[in-house]
Amino acid sequence: MISRTSGGDSPAADTPPAAAALEIRGLHKSFGANEVLRGIDLSVAAHEVICLIGASGSGKSTLLRCVNLLEPVSAGSVYLAGQEITRPGVNENLVRTHIGIVFQSFNLFPHMTVLRNVTLGPARVLRTPRAEAVRQARALLDRFGLLDKAGDYPDRLSGGQQQRVAIVRALAMRPRILLLDEVTSALDPELVAEVLDVIRELAEGGMTMLIATHEMGFARDIASRVCFLADGRIVEEAPPAQLFTEPRDERTQRFLRRITEAGRL
Amino acid sequence: MNEETPGSVLVTSRGPRLLAGASGRRGVVLSTASTVIVIAALAAIFLLAPGSRQVRHTFLNPADMWHALLGDPRHGYYSVGEALWLNIRMFLAAEVLILILALAVAVIRQSTGPVMLPLRVISTVYVDVARGVPLILIIYALGYGLPALSLRFVSSQSAAVYGVAALVISYSAYVSEVYRAGINSVHQSQVAAARSLGLSHWASLRFVILPQAVRNIIPPLLNDFISLQKDTALVGVLGAIEANKAAELYSDTTFNYSSYVVAAILFLILTIPLARFTDHLIARDRGRRLAGGAR
Ligand SMILES: Nc1ncnc2c1ncn2[C@@H]1O[C@H](COP(=O)(O)OP(=O)(O)OP(=O)(O)O)[C@@H](O)[C@H]1O
Ligand SMILES: [Mg+2]
């Protein structure tokens, strides 16, 4: 199994050639008769930032939740640093410590202060001594300008602040990869920038990220590659410069045209 | 309590909300007047009834009430006031045990996975049965059944202990459902957030779900405890000298029922503060939710 200390690069029998940070192969996911994902293949190298775009309901959130094992996959496999995490008997809790996820609706724990939100995972899961967990959490909060909120409860914070805390909470686990699910969609327009700035900073720091987003301008700026999701598959995958200016697939063209008409690109 | 008009005690079950409908001074005058009129009318009916004198003598006789309250061992009856202490102790013991057992049952019923299946089945059957059987029958079953078994420790307890056990069995079934509703009231996204940090099912429950659930269920929980306070009186059927039993013994000796009125008043004194407190919490919660929604 993936350990927290060795960096997880120990070769295993099922290691794919050059171990990508994250490798998704032939992933299928159905909810009852509704087949949402119909064979997703995607490889994310370390330090890459992948943006997932696609119409509402195209399965972006579902894909991220499958990667995080919050949803069991129907078929196919996911590899984290070369090790399959979708095989039966895997320690899901351990896997999740390596994969951070930030949700559209923040999902902070309302009964805990900001500091407790951030230290819960390290203290309870990683068994970091409390004083050390607090020190690290305060350092992270400080880095993102949230230190003065450490003692506040989430409902005292603006949406932008809450989402930044949620990002810090995920980072406190020192994940290998960060999944971001439309993290600005629930925010008032004037609060979007502060959250996007945080993500930009993380990208510059070399964080590996898989980002579902409706912010096309942001995707164009930040992504190493952009994947367009439709009909349960990644129908087009290209660097942003290419995908946004000369999309090849007809469905991508149609999607981008609609977005442009809506004034969102 | 202080800011309410005197009449409001009569409407405890629905609480200050009823008064809130009366807006402004005119409203207060109107509601006070109507309360006074209703009370006066009821009192008049009672006092003018043909048997009023007789009823007042047998149920509301001040001297008998006083004697029943204090008790008199020489005449063979117990103090209802002192007996109430047993109700209070049974209530407190049962309450603690119920909170624990009910939580265990709720958590087991919420669990997933095949390992817990047998426990899940047992818990489900338990809740169905314990909620379906009248409390009084459970009290009889334990109070007479367990001693009859002639087991060493189990069969030699006092009536109060069997009574508490019966209360715990019956109430835990209800309270476990309250817990379960509380657990379900916490949004699934909170579970997802907790699990995504690598917290196990149990750790998520303990640190994230239950603390939020408990907050949501305090009012319904208090409601059940109000009713538990009263139901301690049922343990009297096993011969435990609690307030109701003491009142019964008094009336058996004196052929006067005023002792029951004393017991009723004492129970009211116990339950009304809890009822007011529950209403207060509900109102505060509603206020918070409204304030929260405006954000
Ligand atoms: N738990 C679930 N049970 C049943 N169906 C689900 C569930 N979660 C998602 N779906 C369905 O899967 C499809 C994809 O949903 P998903 O949320 O992944 O889309 P999305 O691309 O994230 O959309 P959006 O841009 O609106 O967030 C939808 O048709 C949705 O109804
Ligand atoms: Mg989504």
Side-chain angles (χ1 to χ4, degrees):
Chain A
M1 199 42 251
I2 306 156
S3 73
R4 282 216 63 102
T5 42
S6 71
D9 315 273
S10 52
D14 53 0
T15 305
L22 182 75
E23 173 104 15
I24 301 168
R25 288 193 199 159
L27 182 86
H28 288 250
K29 175 66 188 177
S30 308
F31 293 104
N34 180 12
E35 191 173 27
V36 178
L37 302 177
R38 308 168 178 217
I40 300 281
D41 294 290
L42 177 65
S43 177
V44 185
H47 312 304
E48 254 195 320
V49 176
I50 307 289
C51 282
L52 289 173
I53 62 172
S56 186
S58 57
K60 304 180 293 292
S61 301
T62 303
L63 177 57
L64 295 185
R65 292 172 64 87
C66 284
V67 169
N68 196 255
L69 307 182
L70 287 171
E71 294 286 356
V73 305
S74 306
S77 40
V78 178
Y79 296 84
L80 183 68
Q83 312 220 6
E84 187 179 352
I85 59 174
T86 38
R87 66 159 195 264
V90 93
N91 181 344
E92 296 186 354
N93 297 329
L94 182 58
V95 167
R96 292 198 188 102
T97 64
H98 296 283
I99 306 176
I101 185 164
V102 182
F103 304 94
Q104 177 173 348
S105 48
F106 330 139
N107 301 4
L108 292 179
F109 307 128
H111 60 299
M112 295 181 186
T113 62
V114 165
L115 187 67
R116 282 263 290 137
N117 264 277
V118 178
T119 55
L120 180 70
R124 295 290 169 189
V125 180
L126 304 182
R127 304 276 164 200
T128 310
R130 178 153 293 281
E132 175 60 15
V134 167
R135 200 190 57 73
Q136 288 174 4
R138 294 180 64 87
L140 271 176
L141 288 170
D142 194 23
R143 181 171 149 206
F144 296 107
L146 292 161
L147 190 53
D148 57 325
K149 305 291 177 202
D152 286 350
Y153 284 87
D155 65 354
R156 310 289 307 165
L157 272 53
S158 75
Q161 289 166 338
Q162 289 189 50
Q163 193 57 293
R164 279 149 60 207
V165 171
I167 293 172
V168 167
R169 179 174 70 179
L171 289 176
M173 297 296 289
R174 302 171 181 272
R176 294 153 183 268
I177 182 166
L178 195 56
L179 313 176
L180 303 172
D181 189 5
E182 290 183 36
V183 293
T184 56
S185 295
L187 297 178
D188 293 338
E190 73 273 18
L191 301 176
V192 168
E194 65 183 71
V195 172
L196 293 186
D197 286 344
V198 166
I199 301 170
R200 211 168 264 128
E201 191 190 323
L202 292 176
E204 282 158 13
M207 190 77 205
T208 312
M209 289 187 279
L210 185 52
I211 305 176
T213 186
H214 282 155
E215 300 277 343
M216 297 305 152
F218 174 70
R220 175 184 259 172
D221 277 2
I222 197 176
S224 328
R225 276 178 296 146
V226 178
C227 298
F228 175 66
L229 211 60
D231 304 326
R233 293 197 182 79
I234 294 177
V235 299
E236 188 158 359
E237 177 182 336
Q242 184 187 327
L243 189 129
F244 285 119
T245 47
E246 32 191 295
R248 275 178 314 223
D249 193 280
E250 186 258 338
R251 284 167 291 186
T252 323
Q253 293 165 2
R254 215 174 333 124
F255 175 73
L256 290 176
R257 202 177 314 126
R258 243 185 308 131
I259 295 264
T260 316
E261 280 159 12
R264 290 177 67 180
L265 185 64
Chain B
M1 226 28 225
N2 322 350
E3 73 278 10
E4 292 165 18
T5 59
S8 69
V9 173
L10 293 176
V11 292
T12 47
S13 66
R14 307 231 339 245
R17 276 281 104 180
L18 288 188
L19 286 178
S23 58
R25 173 170 305 187
R26 209 177 94 88
V28 173
V29 170
L30 272 178
S31 61
T32 309
S34 65
T35 307
V36 167
I37 290 170
V38 168
I39 291 176
L42 290 174
I45 292 172
F46 176 70
L47 293 171
L48 296 176
S52 177
R53 240 184 93 78
Q54 184 58 32
V55 166
R56 272 182 289 147
H57 175 74
T58 36
F59 286 89
L60 296 168
N61 189 326
D64 279 299
M65 290 172 78
W66 184 246
H67 289 144
L69 179 66
L70 297 182
D72 189 347
R74 279 169 305 155
H75 292 89
Y77 51 83
Y78 296 85
S79 155
V80 175
E82 218 176 293
L84 187 75
W85 176 231
L86 179 62
N87 294 83
I88 294 173
R89 281 182 299 160
M90 289 194 294
F91 166 70
L92 291 176
E95 177 182 340
V96 171
L97 295 173
I98 288 164
L99 283 174
I100 297 167
L101 178 62
L103 177 60
V105 170
V107 165
I108 289 169
R109 290 194 72 185
Q110 277 311 105
S111 67
T112 50
V115 183
M116 299 291 289
L117 182 67
L119 280 176
R120 251 197 322 273
V121 171
I122 292 172
S123 303
T124 308
V125 171
Y126 157 68
V127 171
D128 285 352
V129 171
R131 283 198 304 175
V133 177
L135 172 56
I136 191 82
L137 295 186
I138 301 179
I139 292 176
Y140 277 128
L142 295 192
Y144 294 126
L146 290 182
L149 284 178
S150 306
L151 288 167
R152 257 186 60 218
F153 174 75
V154 175
S155 301
S156 55
Q157 299 298 324
S158 70
V161 170
Y162 296 128
V164 167
L167 289 169
V168 169
I169 287 174
S170 177
Y171 271 82
S172 293
Y174 289 98
V175 172
S176 78
E177 289 296 286
V178 173
Y179 271 120
R180 225 153 64 94
I183 291 172
N184 288 333
S185 75
V186 179
H187 200 265
Q188 269 302 311
S189 63
Q190 288 286 310
V191 181
R195 300 305 302 273
S196 76
L197 291 173
L199 289 169
S200 67
H201 174 78
W202 299 110
S204 307
L205 207 56
R206 173 165 161 218
F207 297 114
V208 175
I209 308 307
L210 282 178
Q212 296 184 60
V214 165
R215 225 154 286 201
N216 293 342
I217 61 170
I218 286 176
L221 219 48
L222 289 177
N223 247 329
D224 279 351
F225 285 149
I226 291 170
S227 121
L228 172 67
Q229 275 184 339
K230 296 178 305 180
D231 281 352
T232 55
L234 293 173
V235 180
V237 300
L238 297 181
I241 309 298
E242 48 71 48
N244 198 53
K245 184 72 181 175
E248 183 188 321
L249 292 177
Y250 181 89
S251 72
D252 284 352
T253 334
T254 61
F255 303 105
N256 187 292
Y257 296 115
S258 300
S259 55
Y260 283 112
V261 176
V262 172
I265 291 171
L266 291 180
F267 276 110
L268 277 178
I269 290 172
L270 276 191
T271 51
I272 285 181
L274 202 48
R276 306 286 69 229
F277 182 60
T278 308
D279 274 351
H280 166 74
L281 285 184
I282 292 171
R284 197 187 63 182
D285 196 47
R286 183 191 288 119
R288 266 212 206 123
R289 217 165 286 168
L290 290 180
R295 276 181 57 91

